[in-house]
Amino acid sequence: MRPFARLSGPSAPAVLVLAAVAAWLTTTAAQQPVRTRGVKQLVSELNAPGIDRGLRDADSPRPAPTGSGRRWVNGRGAEYLSGSLIVRFRPGTLPVTQRALLAQVDATAGAALPYADFDIVTLAGGADPEAVARRLSEQPDVEYAQARYRVRPMFVPNDTLYSRQWNFPQIDVERAWDINRGGSSNVVVAVVDTGVAFRSGTLRFTAMAWQRDDGVNFPALGQVDVPFAAAPDLGADRFVSPRDFIWDDNLPFDLAGHGTHVAGTIGQLSNNGMGVAGMAFNVRLMPVKVVDTEWDYIFDSPFIGTDDTVARGVRYAADNGAQVINLSLGREGDPAPAVRSAVEYAVSHGAFVVVAGGNDALEGNEVERYAEFAPQIDGMVSVAATGPDRRRASYSSTGSYVELAAPGGDFSRGGAVGGILQQTLDLDLVETFAGPVSRYTAPRFDAFAYFYFEGSSMATAHVSGLAALLMSQGITSPAAVEAILKQSATDLGSPGRDNEYGSGLINARAALRGLGLAR
Amino acid sequence: MTARHGRPVALAALVCGALVVLPPAAGAQPRTPVTRPAAESTVRVRGVVEAGGRTFTASESFDAVLGSHAGPLFGAGADVLVGRTLFVSFGVSRFQKDGERVVVAGGEAFPNGIATTISIVPIEVSAGWRFAKPGRTVIPYLGGGVGWHRYKETSDFAAADEDVQFTKAGFQLLGGAEWRASRWLGVAGEAVWMSVPNAFPGGATSAAGVLGEDDLGGAVFRVKVLIGR
């Protein structure tokens, strides 16, 4: 059941007991595909305020968090979860027909999930989810079937205040603030991501033993009380409808720093005498956690970040009043109909959706499956990244689906300060697993620092921030937001739309000014 | 003003010329020279004060930004009458209206709350023919000419280089009828059709560009008070 070997070897009797328990668990899992695993317990509502540990621009580069250690299968360009898949039957398909179709592939449906218009089905044996999905897709009663592809945040973090935020002048944000200073608190932006450092509290987890991708084994830490705090430069009283689809509760704490950094670009408190600025610093933020990271794995979260989780998160955000939904995430592999359907639902409910264009230009430039369908939806845009020199970031994926470009940072051309600077978790106190085992301790999520990150994730957050400003101006139609973002973009690269920059680099002031009769 | 407006201006001149050179059927009828009043061969100048309304050919664009493609105008000018039938008129009028800047998507306009003011000042020079007959108190007339249209668009939050001001040339055709209320006072009702092509830039830089409209012209309906003989 576990994806990686534990450290200590059990004795023979214990093996028998464990085997019996495992068999029982397997049977149960067949009936209930997502069972409760790790436990996250709020042991205290209070914690000391977040600790600001300053600017971190001189650290040596640290590797990006790459995986949560689950059992993944390498598919065609993307990893996916073994043992289950996502299926949507056509409306009107009788339950008996559904069961019969699933029986043909030795699959059983689980309980219906909230915020989902699809089923998660469990596969018996070692059947390959991609192969089974292809078989099911051929059935006339099946609208789509897909593997549960893993999603990941779109960033390449680097350890490395306003004068350092070259990204805002690049898209004329300062003059845009002359028109609309930070947007309205009536606008809600959903950060569908790894969570956000949105409040204080102490949570009790059980940290299991695990093995890092490079084979290093880490011991179980047992029960640990982990302190959390709201990021000081985000504020604590502007968050609405928080939801965690990884832990299935309303405490979407960020255990990696990605979501908090993205939220900072969208709405970091500004003009407050500390730290850095954000695009739309008056809007409210909705933290929706759909991506699991290392500590979620170590704490054995019950859910994981796959297409179904993302789709549910998007639907939740739309149903709970988000006008802008930021998706600084994505994946390659096969198409993503569940997520597409969720985005269409969100747009039809008045939400403007922004998705990362991808970071794989240097690694095969595979098609980004979430960004891929953005051009077909009026009210959703995919975003490429630019560096400090206004050129496409070296890593930023290219393709016909790229619709806009925004600052994402580029360490390869801008050095350590070539990224996007925002406040996030102090990664030294979070990524205790990144170094030797001797330095492995329980993490803390109540200390913060200013880090430069790069990635189309960061670019996406700029577009979401601008969309929030437009919404604050009364442009509430997602299609209209998309139209003005494109009409006002600064054309870069080949004249007209191109595969590197789409319609061009967003221009915040031009977008907010809108169009006059003659100009 | 520019070379690309040469054709419409030339067309207007041709129409005016034809109206001046070709006498109307009524003028071709035999008449006795001794009965013609001496004043017909003189040049008279009269002042004009006008008020009316205008609509714009770029209706969708004006609707988008101003909420309407029609509005009032006021102006003044002078008519030069050569004899009884030929006239040359000079006029300047002003249209001004407030609106909001917009986002245009799918042919629909979404105001963004930024106030804008548009003013248009056409300077018109027209010539034409009055179908005057002795004893007639209502005199129809037709004419045409050229115009220079000064356009100005200002909006809140605009930097110095973000407001718009330009002058474009166009042409107009007009027709109306005047009624002499007294020897020194008359009233005329007039309809004018104007064309000012290529006034608005194409592409995505303006509401007119997005909506595919470039003509600043339209129709004018106005009442003129004629002061003078």
Side-chain angles (χ1 to χ4, degrees):
Chain A
M1 291 292 291
R2 297 299 318 158
F4 298 106
R6 305 286 181 137
L7 278 179
S8 56
S11 63
V15 167
L16 289 173
V17 173
L18 284 172
V21 171
W24 177 77
L25 286 175
T26 306
T27 306
T28 306
Q31 296 162 347
Q32 191 175 343
V34 184
R35 61 184 177 79
T36 302
R37 296 167 64 157
V39 175
K40 169 175 146 190
Q41 181 185 4
L42 183 63
V43 296
S44 170
E45 292 279 350
L46 299 174
N47 192 45
I51 304 162
D52 184 351
R53 286 163 53 91
L55 176 66
R56 300 290 293 277
D57 63 349
D59 292 9
S60 57
R62 69 177 77 224
T66 53
S68 60
R70 309 269 180 187
R71 179 63 72 196
W72 299 102
V73 179
N74 285 317
R76 294 171 298 174
E79 293 176 315
Y80 52 91
L81 198 64
S82 62
S84 61
L85 58 110
I86 306 169
V87 179
R88 177 170 163 77
F89 292 99
R90 294 195 185 282
T93 305
L94 296 171
V96 64
T97 308
Q98 295 181 15
R99 284 195 295 271
L101 287 170
L102 292 177
Q104 290 176 17
V105 293
D106 289 336
T108 51
L113 295 170
Y115 306 106
D117 66 346
F118 47 77
D119 294 311
I120 302 296
V121 304
T122 304
L123 301 177
D128 175 41
E130 275 195 341
V132 174
R134 283 194 291 274
R135 281 183 60 191
L136 280 175
S137 296
E138 292 167 0
Q139 300 294 332
D141 290 325
V142 175
E143 188 170 319
Y144 62 78
Q146 65 156 93
R148 299 174 75 188
Y149 291 100
R150 177 186 185 189
V151 294
R152 52 181 169 69
M154 285 290 174
F155 79 111
V156 182
N158 183 44
D159 286 13
T160 77
L161 294 168
Y162 178 73
S163 61
R164 295 170 181 262
Q165 291 184 282
W166 55 266
N167 41 312
F168 289 155
Q170 184 179 96
I171 55 174
D172 212 356
V173 173
E174 291 163 343
R175 294 203 309 152
W177 285 331
D178 290 342
I179 297 172
N180 190 317
R181 192 154 294 181
S184 163
S185 61
N186 294 325
V187 173
V188 175
V189 181
V191 182
V192 179
D193 211 288
T194 61
V196 177
F198 76 107
R199 58 162 283 184
S200 295
T202 301
L203 291 171
R204 181 166 295 158
F205 295 97
T206 300
M208 65 180 191
W210 64 293
Q211 186 183 63
R212 203 164 62 190
D213 287 346
D214 59 4
V216 175
N217 291 315
F218 288 83
L221 298 175
Q223 198 171 74
V224 292
D225 287 350
V226 180
F228 289 84
D233 211 4
L234 276 179
D237 54 358
R238 59 194 298 217
F239 296 97
V240 296
S241 305
R243 177 72 191 170
D244 190 335
F245 284 93
I246 298 299
W247 288 89
D248 194 23
D249 59 24
N250 295 326
L251 297 170
F253 287 112
D254 185 3
L255 307 188
H258 182 268
T260 301
H261 195 281
V262 165
T265 300
I266 295 169
Q268 201 95 74
L269 293 179
S270 305
N271 203 30
N272 61 342
M274 67 176 282
V276 291
M279 294 278 292
F281 43 85
N282 293 323
V283 303
R284 288 182 294 164
L285 300 169
M286 180 190 295
V288 180
K289 181 167 174 171
V290 300
V291 180
D292 63 309
T293 54
E294 278 80 358
W295 281 111
D296 292 295
Y297 168 62
I298 297 166
F299 294 151
D300 201 16
S301 65
F303 290 85
I304 47 179
T306 51
D307 281 6
D308 46 310
T309 316
V310 174
R312 296 173 66 206
V314 170
R315 286 173 181 272
Y316 171 86
D319 283 351
N320 286 275
Q323 290 119 304
V324 179
I325 298 177
N326 185 90
L327 295 175
S328 289
L329 41 80
R331 66 164 178 81
E332 294 100 31
D334 278 0
V339 174
R340 177 180 177 139
S341 174
V343 168
E344 289 171 339
Y345 174 84
V347 172
S348 73
H349 283 68
F352 180 68
V353 180
V354 192
V355 66
N359 300 335
D360 299 313
L362 302 175
E363 296 165 8
N365 201 39
E366 294 290 325
V367 174
E368 281 293 331
R369 292 305 186 177
Y370 293 2
E372 181 189 27
F373 52 79
Q376 296 150 33
I377 300 175
D378 280 343
M380 178 190 194
V381 293
S382 63
V383 187
T386 58
D389 55 359
R390 285 167 56 106
R391 291 162 54 203
R392 178 179 64 84
S394 54
Y395 57 81
S396 184
S397 299
T398 63
S400 59
Y401 52 83
V402 172
E403 293 187 277
L404 286 168
D410 192 344
F411 296 136
S412 72
R413 290 202 299 265
V417 296
I420 305 299
L421 184 65
Q422 304 291 164
Q423 185 182 56
T424 189
L425 299 167
D426 186 338
L427 298 178
D428 280 348
L429 304 178
V430 171
E431 297 175 347
T432 62
F433 50 76
V437 176
S438 59
R439 293 172 61 184
Y440 177 58
T441 60
R444 54 187 306 162
F445 303 99
D446 61 344
F448 300 87
Y450 295 91
F451 282 95
Y452 288 96
F453 281 7
E454 70 172 7
S456 55
S457 282
M458 285 64 245
T460 301
H462 286 80
V463 177
S464 290
L466 179 51
L469 295 177
L470 283 164
M471 289 276 186
S472 303
Q473 290 280 112
I475 310 300
T476 55
S477 156
V481 172
E482 176 170 345
I484 193 63
L485 286 173
K486 289 179 175 176
Q487 289 162 3
S488 60
T490 305
D491 191 14
L492 296 177
S494 304
R497 197 220 152 267
D498 59 65
N499 289 347
E500 288 188 273
Y501 303 93
S503 295
L505 179 66
I506 59 168
N507 183 318
R509 179 176 172 83
L512 287 190
R513 261 178 60 76
L515 301 174
L517 189 55
R519 184 162 74 191
Chain B
M1 289 288 272
T2 62
R4 62 180 175 176
H5 297 132
R7 287 178 63 188
V9 174
L11 177 63
L14 197 61
V15 171
C16 295
L19 288 167
V20 172
V21 172
L22 297 175
Q29 289 176 6
R31 57 179 67 173
T32 309
V34 294
T35 61
R36 184 183 295 270
E40 288 186 15
S41 61
T42 61
V43 172
R44 292 169 291 154
V45 177
R46 61 189 185 187
V48 177
V49 177
E50 63 181 58
R54 71 174 291 179
T55 65
F56 292 93
T57 303
S59 58
E60 288 185 47
S61 305
F62 278 86
D63 283 344
V65 176
L66 300 182
S68 164
H69 63 279
L73 63 79
F74 302 93
D79 286 350
V80 178
L81 303 182
V82 181
R84 182 188 287 271
T85 55
L86 184 63
F87 72 90
V88 178
S89 68
F90 305 88
V92 58
S93 57
R94 179 183 175 86
F95 166 91
Q96 181 171 315
K97 201 163 184 182
D98 297 332
E100 281 183 48
R101 295 177 69 84
V102 293
V103 170
V104 179
E108 193 175 354
F110 301 85
N112 69 2
I114 299 179
T116 190
T117 299
I118 290 169
S119 67
I120 302 165
V121 178
I123 299 172
E124 302 166 54
V125 179
S126 300
W129 194 267
R130 302 167 73 241
F131 300 94
K133 279 186 178 178
R136 250 188 190 175
T137 55
V138 176
I139 303 171
Y141 58 90
L142 289 172
V146 297
W148 293 269
H149 300 253
R150 192 166 72 95
Y151 178 92
K152 188 175 182 183
E153 182 176 335
T154 59
S155 57
D156 288 354
F157 307 111
D161 61 343
E162 290 177 328
D163 282 336
V164 182
Q165 187 169 325
F166 60 79
T167 301
K168 292 283 184 182
F171 66 92
Q172 67 270 355
L173 299 174
L174 59 88
E178 67 175 70
W179 173 71
R180 299 302 302 181
S182 71
R183 184 179 178 85
W184 290 94
L185 194 65
V187 177
E190 185 175 285
V192 186
W193 177 80
M194 299 172 171
S195 179
V196 190
N198 304 313
F200 299 125
T205 59
S206 70
V210 172
L211 292 166
E213 296 176 318
D214 70 359
D215 199 316
L216 181 53
V220 173
F221 303 93
R222 57 193 172 196
V223 174
K224 303 167 91 170
V225 177
L226 312 171
I227 305 160
R229 297 177 58 197

